[in-house]
Amino acid sequence: TGIIRKDILIYIGYMALVPLQALYWYVTRSGLDTTVIFIMAGWIHIVVLGSIIGVEMNEMKNGGYSFLSSLPVTGREIVGAKFLAVLILSAFYVLTGWIAFGGLEGAPGFLEFARRWLLLNAAIAIMAAGLVSAHHSMWL
């Protein structure tokens, strides 16, 4: 948890974007159409990958990996902790999007399509974050 707490400000910054985006679509009373679906589901890539890349840039710039590798933890624990934060962020985004989609009016079948598209994008973003984590774990 110490590793997650160290990077929490970056994750909180991206988590703040999530409810604001859902609130925007709800306040503007946009209908649930393909534009809303693709933008809201696609934003998970920016939220998840933006946060992990921000954390990784911070680690590289400030010598964080040198410090972490000097601690009595394994590289696997470090990468696992960083990936756990990504999973929590992704779950938060999916839950918020899932609820937001339910609050928008749309054509029959669009809600199911929106939620499936959200889950697909979440899976792709998590896999990409895993690749970034795996790449940086080579430095540990």
Side-chain angles (χ1 to χ4, degrees), residues 49-72:
L49 294 175
S51 64
I52 196 165
I53 289 171
V55 166
E56 296 302 319
M57 286 174 43
N58 188 36
E59 295 288 8
M60 297 299 242
K61 180 179 117 183
N62 296 320
Y65 282 120
S66 298
F67 171 72
L68 290 173
S69 64
S70 70
L71 297 175

Side-chain angles (χ1 to χ4, degrees), residues 72-91:
V73 293
T74 65
R76 180 180 229 164
E77 291 171 329
I78 295 168
V79 172
K82 289 182 173 292
F83 196 67
L84 178 64
V86 168
L87 290 176
I88 292 168
L89 182 63
S90 300

Side-chain angles (χ1 to χ4, degrees), residues 15-138:
M15 282 183 149
L17 295 173
V18 177
L20 292 175
Q21 177 196 10
L23 183 65
Y24 169 76
W25 291 110
Y26 185 74
V27 168
T28 59
R29 295 287 184 194
S30 295
L32 189 59
D33 60 9
T34 54
T35 303
V36 172
I37 293 170
F38 287 112
I39 290 174
M40 283 182 74
W43 255 85
I44 194 166
H45 298 286
I46 295 169
V47 170
V48 170
L49 294 175
S51 64
I52 196 165
I53 289 171
V55 166
E56 296 302 319
M57 286 174 43
N58 188 36
E59 295 288 8
M60 297 299 242
K61 180 179 117 183
N62 296 320
Y65 282 120
S66 298
F67 171 72
L68 290 173
S69 64
S70 70
L71 297 175
V73 293
T74 65
R76 180 180 229 164
E77 291 171 329
I78 295 168
V79 172
K82 289 182 173 292
F83 196 67
L84 178 64
V86 168
L87 290 176
I88 292 168
L89 182 63
S90 300
F92 181 74
Y93 189 92
V94 168
L95 181 63
T96 305
W98 193 276
I99 293 168
F101 284 152
L104 300 174
E105 295 180 18
F110 259 77
L111 181 58
E112 293 81 18
F113 172 72
R115 288 180 171 167
R116 285 187 195 132
W117 191 251
L118 178 64
L119 292 174
L120 175 68
N121 276 278
I124 293 169
I126 291 169
M127 285 189 299
L131 290 173
V132 170
S133 294
H135 177 270
H136 286 284
S137 69
M138 295 182 339

